[in-house]
Structure formats: C-alpha cells, structure tokens
Amino acid sequence: MVAGILKDIKIIGIICIFITATCIINVVATPNTTLTNIVQDIEKLGNRGTEYWALLVAVGVYADNPSQDRPLMLEEVDDLYETLIQSGIWTEDHIKVIKGKDATCSNIVAGFEWLDDQEDQDDFSIVFITTHGSPIDFDIPPFDEEDKKDEVLISYWGFEYPSLFIYDDQINRHLNNLESQGVCLIVDSCFAGGFNDPPYLIKTHNNLNQMSSEKFIKEFGGELSGQNRVVLMASREDELSYSGGFAPYVIDGLKGHADTNKDDIVTAEEVFVYCEPRCSRQHPTIFDGYPGELPLMYLNRQDINSENELQIVKENIRNYYPNISFSPENSFIKGFVKDANTDDPISNATIFVRGRDDEWDFFENYTSTDQFGFFSINVPACRCWVSVYTDGYCSDQSGFQEINESETYWLNFTLYPRPPENSIICGYIYDDETGDPIDGANISLLWLGDEYQFYFNDTNSEYDGFYLLNVAAGEIELEVEAVGYFRDELHEIFISDYETIWANFSLLSPPQEKSVICGYITDKISGDPINNIEIRFEWVDIVADISYQNETRTNSSGFYSLNIASGEVYHDIRNSNYDYYYPYRINAIENETNWMNVTLEEDTIEVEIVKPLRALYISNNRLIPFFRTRIIGSIDIEASIRGDFWGPSSAERVEFYVNGYLKETLTSEPYIFTWSDIKLGKQKIKVIAYDYEGNSDFDEIEVYKFL
C-alpha cells in the first residue's frame, strides 16, 4: 500500500514537472522524452547567460492639453527601439515600449514590474523616459527632501490631474528592485516643452510653481543614482531641455559614433561624452555609480556608416535646377514708429521682417519709415518677427506674429534714444594659422540695456586688423565675420562708463570640401522624383567648436549633389507637403562620393478623437480616468485636425459615425457632435476627415454607453 502511494507520488511529481517545463520552455512530449531531458531543459533556463532588457517610455501627448504635445518624443522612442533591435543583442520580446495615450501612471508602473520580472543578476537593463518634468511644492513620503520638494515626470493624464505623475522616489524603488548587474536610466525630460516656450508650469495645490531645472536635475538625478547604475539626464541648471535636443545624440552614440576607443563597445559613459558637446542648447548631466564603464551596445563597425554607403546609381544626370518659386506677398504689415519720450515721428527708420512662409521657406524683407514715421511692407502669409532700428535710438523687436493671406496687420513701435556712447571696445583680427592681420573683417556689436533696450553697431577692421567701436556702458556681445573664415563671437562682456576693453580674435579658415554628398529624393508612395526640394547640410567640428552650412535643391529628376568637408554632417529637408524628421549623424568620407537617397511621405490630413478619452463621463463631464471609456448620458464627440507647432489645422469636412451609421457632417470648426442617443453596452465611434485635395483620414474608438 505504501509502495503504491509512493509510486503514485512519483508519477504525480513527474507529471507536475513535465507540465511546468512544457509551459515554460514549450517542449513537446514524445515517447523518448525523459525526466532527465526535462530537468536539463529546466537547468538551462536558470543559466541563460547575459541578456539585455529595455523599458522605453515616451509620453509625447497629454490629455486635453494639445499645446503640451511633443510628437518628436514619439518618433525618437521608435528610433531608439529600432537602434536597439538592429544591434543584435536586444530582441523584440526583451523591449517594452509604452508611449502616447498608453503612457499612464499605471502602465508605466506595470512596465517597471515587467522589467523586474524578466531580468536577473546576469543581465543589463536600460530604462528610457521622455516627457515633461518639474518639481512639486511638497515632499512625498519617505520625506527625504531637504527643501521639502519632490521631483516628478508627467504622465499622459498629468496636466489634467496633477497627482498623476511618476516621482523620483517611486522610480528609485523600482530601480532598486532590479537585480541586473548594470542599469542605465536615461531621462530626456522636456521641461519647458519646445522652442522659445516659457518655463513649464505644473498645477499643485491650486498654485503655479515655476520649475527650477537646476534643482530638478540635481535632486532627481541624485535620487536615482545608485550602485551599478548610470543616470543620463538631458540638461542641468536653470535651462530648458528642447525636443530633439538630446535623444537623437543618444541614438547616434548607440549606433557607434560614441565608440571613441574603437573597441566595438558603446558604454553609457561614452554616450554621455558624445552627447555633451553636441547639445548646443542644453547641458547633459551624468550620475555614474557603475564600477568601470557600463556597456550598452556591441558593434559591427562595418555598419556604422551604412547611411553613406548606399548603392551608387551609375547614370549621368544633367545638373539642371529650375527657377525657385516663392509664396506671393499679398499681405501687409503697417504701422508708425515714434520717439518714446516726445511721441514725435521717426523718419528713415529701417523696418526688417524675417520669418517663414506657409511653404516653410525663410524669407526676409525690409523698408523705411516716411516723414510721418509710417511704414508699409509686403509679406506672404507667414509667421515672422519684425525689427526696427535707426541711428541714435535703441532698436525694438516685436514678438512672434502670425499673418494670414491677404491680411493687413498693424504694428506700432516706440523707440528710446541711445544712452551716451562714452566707452570703447577695440582689438585686432588675425588669421589663426598664419597670424597675419585680416583686413575688412566685419565686427558686429549688440548692446543690451535695461527694460529690453538694445541696439546694434558695426565696423570693419583696417589693413592691420585693428577695429574700434564706441559703446554705452552695459552688457555687449561681439560677432566677427570675414570672407573665407569661420565666424567667431564673444558673449557677456560688461563695460562701464569711460572704460576701454580690448578683445582680439583669431579666425579659423574653413576646411577644404573634398567630399560629395548626392542622391535622389522620391515620393514614398508613387516612387516619382520630387523636384525643387531644398536639402540643407551642416558640417560640424565638435573639438574646434565650428560649423558651417551648405544647401542645394533637387532637379527635375529628383537628383541633388553638393560638395562639403569630410567629417560629421547633419541634414534637414523642409517642405510643407512632406513630413521628414531625421536628426541623426552621417559621415562624409574624404575624397569619396557619399550617396544618400531619401524617400518622403506626403503629409496629408490627420484626425484624432479628442473627446471622449479613456475615462468615466457622466452627462458630458469627465469624472476620472479609466482603462476603458464609460459614458452615462449624452456626450460631445470632438475631433481635432492635427496641425503643426503653431496649432491644429482644418478640414474640408468631418463626418461622425456611430456603429457604422453617419450621424453628423461638419464643414467648419469646432468639430463637435453631441451624441444623445440612448444606448446600452459597447458602441463604436468613428470620425472621418477630408482635406481639400480629397485625402482622408479616420480615427475610431470603442466606448461603453449607459443611457
């Protein structure tokens, strides 16, 4: 009896082990399967060797706050994912990406828990997070902040519900749970949220608390630095962190450009060294708690310059470029310029307009005021700045102006007389290589006074390289340019009344353009060549801190070609009809033709349902976020046409469908349909938008409606 029981126990034990092994390692039982085989397979699971895991989080969009959206975050996290996949040491099932509407607090926490479940002490892990960041004006337990303020990263719902954030102690706890032998946390936190935005504000306790990015970086990074851990932060001090200003250099570094010692291993420390001098508008920060250097990428160096080693097309193309057409200047900016003290009109003041038209091309125009101080200047439909300057007065500049087609826009200026120019700044301009004086160099001076007053002055160097400028007491900046040389500049020079300051300059000559970059630009869908596309290249020497730009346009065959210096090069393509974002480095190889073919996808209409979101709604009011959309009573269905940085766009018409039935068609904003039908259970809402060229796009969601 006992023997029979023991026999049954053995059989049960074998069956249990077999079932467990089958679930984990997906083996299939055969007549030859033995307990020894199964045990060996299980032992292999416990000895997997080193694996690489990654949690990639990009918020990028924020509920009911489209002005805070940063779509580049979403593109960059996709590019980082592709870079890791192409490395060969990461696989798709070892990377979790959480982005956009899915980047809620609960999903981000679940991502950390997934990472904790997967990795072990033999592994390496990367956590990448990009979103807005800020301090809050209270300390969350364990009350470890000397200034009683914690630091947070904003989730998808974070602007609507200030408590829905991820804070530093929370991330630290999740990282401390990891067993990995090395962890790299990369935080690309967009504090102010974009080009020339003011510092980002977050609502807390019904107050507006202005962010100090210096404190955020210091304390957030300090909290998260730990043993076997490297933390890379996008910026430091009291500065903004810009979209596209950090992550592209991280990705370039991981591709191999950061491998400075050429050992085919890219480490976290090397990525920082690569990024730091290239982030021109911000200053990355590193906290290094890893002994030695933390490896992130193993390379096949033959692949690093694959962008430049495209297939060479063996045919001769006639280098013909058509005439460039510009947007019509059928709008006006008009106004008066007067003396701020006397209110008298100022004649012969120069009015200078600079901006981008609706084709995203730069344009400039200028005029002068008449005897009444009046000016009128033609401009295209555009986004622009207007400056005014004249002798004897401080200059003035408008803020950003948006001018519509066939619009007359009035803009008046009042100028303050210049203060006495009783100080002197002078010096010599030399050739850096030969030491010879440079004759005819232009020295431009910017004077900065109180209350946003400023003015410009300039002069040219003499035959012996000498220059001299009279200037008022205050802060000044100098910029020196000469034909055949790189520009040089000095900032934050403070000069007192009756003081003389010497400032000498040695200018560098540009390198010889011994490389050629060329290729074809074609339409992604049709394959047709795209004519008259501007492509701009920037050559950079990080060590010498110099750069220059060169540009060209495609001809009727979609072909372009230009000469450029060998080395580190970046490019940009701007056209209002196409969407293109590639901020990554290419290498121009000396004495070679570097081919770079580009396919562009036409930028057509995009529509999004912005209400309802994943939340509970009662009588058209959102109560709380929810994992599914729940609606009680009637609700407004709202659609938005995605635009650009300047705001949403418009559509020829927008159609609203419920369960496949057309309910409403709207031809003007706002695109809002009130859904008052009494329904129970799951429903499908669909919105289709059409542009004026016949293109369309749709968005659809499932909701659960009650009444």
Side-chain angles (χ1 to χ4, degrees), residues 60 76 98 108 421 592 645:
E76 288 162 359
I98 304 172
I108 295 172
E421 295 179 320
E592 289 192 15
F645 177 82

Side-chain angles (χ1 to χ4, degrees), residues 394-396 416 447-454:
C394 293
S395 302
D396 197 6
Y416 289 88
W447 176 87
L448 300 168
D450 297 331
E451 299 179 358
Y452 305 105
Q453 296 180 20
F454 67 95

Side-chain angles (χ1 to χ4, degrees), residues 156-202:
Y156 169 71
W157 286 104
F159 286 99
E160 286 298 291
Y161 300 92
S163 62
L164 294 183
F165 51 71
I166 301 293
Y167 63 102
D168 52 1
D169 297 319
Q170 185 179 13
I171 295 177
N172 198 30
R173 285 196 296 270
H174 287 297
L175 294 179
N176 286 338
N177 289 335
L178 301 181
E179 301 174 9
S180 297
Q181 59 176 305
V183 176
C184 181
L185 172 66
I186 305 172
V187 180
D188 187 1
S189 183
C190 183
F191 304 120
F195 179 73
N196 77 2
D197 283 358
Y200 158 69
L201 303 175
I202 177 172

Side-chain angles (χ1 to χ4, degrees), residues 35 131 139 174 217 276 281 312 358 388 429 581 599-600:
L35 180 59
T131 182
D139 188 6
H174 287 297
I217 293 298
E276 196 274 334
R281 295 189 293 176
I312 297 179
D358 282 352
V388 55
I429 314 297
Y581 180 65
T599 57
L600 299 181

Side-chain angles (χ1 to χ4, degrees), residues 93-119:
D93 60 344
H94 281 49
I95 304 175
K96 178 178 283 291
V97 179
I98 304 172
K99 65 178 185 177
K101 295 179 180 180
D102 293 326
T104 61
C105 286
S106 58
N107 285 343
I108 295 172
V109 169
F112 276 106
E113 293 173 347
W114 166 86
L115 182 60
D116 184 26
D117 290 340
Q118 301 300 321
E119 54 80 48

Side-chain angles (χ1 to χ4, degrees), residues 408-420:
T408 297
Y409 191 89
W410 284 86
L411 191 63
N412 299 322
F413 294 90
T414 56
L415 304 185
Y416 289 88
R418 288 190 189 182

Side-chain angles (χ1 to χ4, degrees), residues 554-598:
T554 57
N555 63 14
S556 58
S557 299
F559 179 76
Y560 72 91
S561 177
L562 86 167
N563 294 85
I564 200 165
S566 60
E568 184 173 343
V569 176
Y570 299 86
H571 75 283
D572 189 22
I573 299 174
R574 290 292 178 90
N575 185 280
S576 61
N577 296 324
Y578 291 92
D579 183 25
Y580 186 73
Y581 180 65
Y582 191 88
Y584 306 111
R585 170 178 172 172
I586 59 176
N587 283 345
I589 302 173
E590 188 171 358
N591 297 321
E592 289 192 15
T593 298
N594 304 268
W595 282 83
M596 189 183 74
N597 298 328
V598 178

Side-chain angles (χ1 to χ4, degrees), residues 250-357:
V250 171
I251 295 169
D252 270 344
L254 292 174
K255 288 179 178 179
H257 296 298
D259 183 22
T260 53
N261 61 2
K262 304 298 188 292
D263 64 351
D264 289 346
I265 302 173
V266 177
T267 67
E269 292 81 358
E270 285 180 316
V271 169
F272 171 76
V273 171
Y274 180 82
C275 292
E276 196 274 334
R278 289 169 172 80
C279 298
S280 58
R281 295 189 293 176
Q282 58 203 68
H283 300 83
T285 303
I286 184 172
F287 292 87
D288 193 351
Y290 186 83
E293 294 197 8
L294 175 59
L296 299 181
M297 189 76 71
Y298 294 86
L299 303 173
N300 175 4
R301 296 204 58 85
Q302 294 178 353
D303 294 333
I304 292 178
N305 297 320
S306 59
E307 299 97 336
N308 303 309
E309 297 169 354
L310 303 173
Q311 180 181 4
I312 297 179
V313 181
K314 296 182 179 179
E315 60 177 294
N316 294 322
I317 299 296
R318 184 165 62 95
N319 194 18
Y320 164 75
Y321 295 90
N323 294 329
I324 300 173
S325 60
F326 296 94
S327 300
E329 295 183 347
N330 54 16
S331 300
F332 292 91
I333 299 177
K334 299 182 179 183
F336 291 89
V337 179
K338 296 183 179 181
D339 186 299
N341 295 330
T342 66
D343 206 35
D344 293 334
I346 301 176
S347 61
N348 295 319
T350 298
I351 311 297
F352 180 73
V353 180
R354 186 174 190 269
R356 288 185 183 271
D357 62 22

